[in-house]
Amino acid sequence: MKLTLKDLEKILGIKFKNQDLIKEALTHRSYLNENSSWASQNNERLEFLGDAVLELITTDFLYHKFPDYQEGQMTSLRAALVNYQMLAKVAKEISLDDFIYLSRGEAKDKGRARDVILANAMEALIGAIYLDRGYETASKFIHKSVLSHLKEVIEKKLYRDPKSQLQEIVQEKMRVTPTYRVLEETGPDHNKKFLVGVFFHEKMAAKGMGASKQEAESKAAEAALEKEKLAK
């Protein structure tokens, strides 16, 4: 039996007023290449919005939950909660993969690229919930689906990702926060590669390449840790 958007609404516990929003949140750009008459646009604008909503709600949660934590500690926890691996995991937990509109080629890919697509769809879904039902509903959804993984993040020390390690060490040693810039984008839209540089002040410390900006940033941080012999 084919699943419908109503099935997803039941899983989410959220009834959308505007069905077009949830459909847009689930539409990957590759699907439009094969379905030119599809009424919805791709989910990238909603992804952009949802990313900001997710970061704000996660930051607010951590700020109030850990009143004694410094910025670096909260940043590390936030990065572990909102990175693409965690968002892909959450997407699988709510069976989001069964509802995304993908091209036939993308639908066959079950590797890392699919996890990036799932993570982006999660952010787009959050954006759609925020627009359709408001901040409180979006916050409840994020607390239930994403922030509920905080205990796991702490117990498994998932917050010790390369970007967090690098930021913590560089802030301590150099009194500067690393920044990341996309140096180059290559490949077609459905299979892009990003080359990212990590900078201390205006000096580039290292570069990294990945299938997403997040992955490329992580690779750049790893390279900087190794190059500068900063890893703890």
Side-chain angles (χ1 to χ4, degrees):
M1 184 176 70
K2 186 174 177 58
L3 294 170
T4 67
L5 295 182
K6 289 187 182 297
D7 294 314
L8 179 58
E9 287 179 319
K10 288 179 183 177
I11 293 170
L12 300 176
I14 297 171
K15 175 71 175 173
F16 275 75
K17 301 171 188 174
N18 183 354
Q19 292 288 310
D20 290 339
L21 277 173
I22 189 171
K23 188 177 289 187
E24 181 181 333
L26 299 170
T27 301
H28 187 256
R29 68 161 45 243
S30 67
Y31 187 78
L32 299 179
N33 295 334
E34 296 179 357
N35 299 270
S36 56
S37 61
W38 188 247
S40 179
Q41 62 180 339
N42 69 56
N43 64 6
E44 291 170 12
R45 281 174 54 83
L46 284 175
E47 176 196 337
F48 171 77
L49 175 63
D51 174 64
V53 174
L54 174 61
E55 182 157 321
L56 172 60
I57 290 171
T58 302
T59 301
D60 180 74
F61 168 73
L62 293 172
Y63 181 86
H64 288 96
K65 185 170 181 64
F66 301 108
D68 298 325
Y69 276 25
Q70 297 302 307
E71 178 191 359
Q73 292 170 290
M74 292 187 290
T75 298
S76 296
L77 287 175
R78 184 179 64 193
L81 285 166
V82 305
N83 64 35
Y84 86 89
Q85 295 100 326
M86 179 61 76
L87 291 182
K89 177 178 181 178
V90 172
K92 291 169 186 174
E93 289 172 351
I94 63 174
S95 303
L96 197 62
D97 207 11
D98 296 331
F99 298 93
I100 299 176
Y101 301 104
L102 292 168
S103 68
R104 288 186 291 272
E106 291 288 355
K108 292 176 183 176
D109 192 337
K110 299 297 181 182
R112 184 175 54 193
R114 174 60 71 85
D115 281 350
V116 173
I117 289 172
L118 283 172
N120 292 344
M122 267 298 298
E123 291 179 337
L125 179 62
I126 289 168
I129 293 170
Y130 170 75
L131 285 179
D132 192 77
R133 298 296 302 271
Y135 181 89
E136 288 303 321
T137 300
S139 180
K140 287 178 183 177
F141 173 70
I142 290 168
H143 275 74
K144 180 181 177 181
S145 61
V146 179
L147 302 183
S148 58
H149 288 276
L150 177 64
K151 182 179 178 182
E152 175 192 356
V153 164
I154 293 173
E155 288 180 349
K156 295 182 179 179
K157 297 186 177 180
L158 301 180
Y159 54 87
R160 300 300 298 172
D161 65 286
K163 284 183 66 178
S164 299
Q165 286 189 56
L166 184 65
Q167 176 159 318
E168 182 181 327
I169 295 167
V170 172
Q171 283 180 336
E172 180 183 334
K173 289 179 180 273
M174 304 179 188
R175 299 292 187 267
V176 61
T177 299
T179 57
Y180 297 84
R181 299 177 199 163
V182 176
L183 304 175
E184 187 179 321
E185 293 182 25
T186 56
D189 287 335
H190 67 279
N191 189 28
K192 274 191 178 297
K193 294 290 184 185
F194 297 89
L195 180 65
V196 166
V198 57
F199 293 79
F200 306 159
H201 289 300
E202 290 302 312
K203 179 185 176 184
M204 186 167 67
K207 295 184 286 188
M209 180 170 279
S212 69
K213 291 177 185 176
Q214 278 187 320
E215 183 183 355
E217 288 174 358
S218 182
K219 295 289 186 184
E222 284 180 10
L225 285 166
E226 177 61 28
K227 181 179 176 183
E228 305 289 337
K229 302 299 181 186
L230 293 172
K232 289 182 176 179

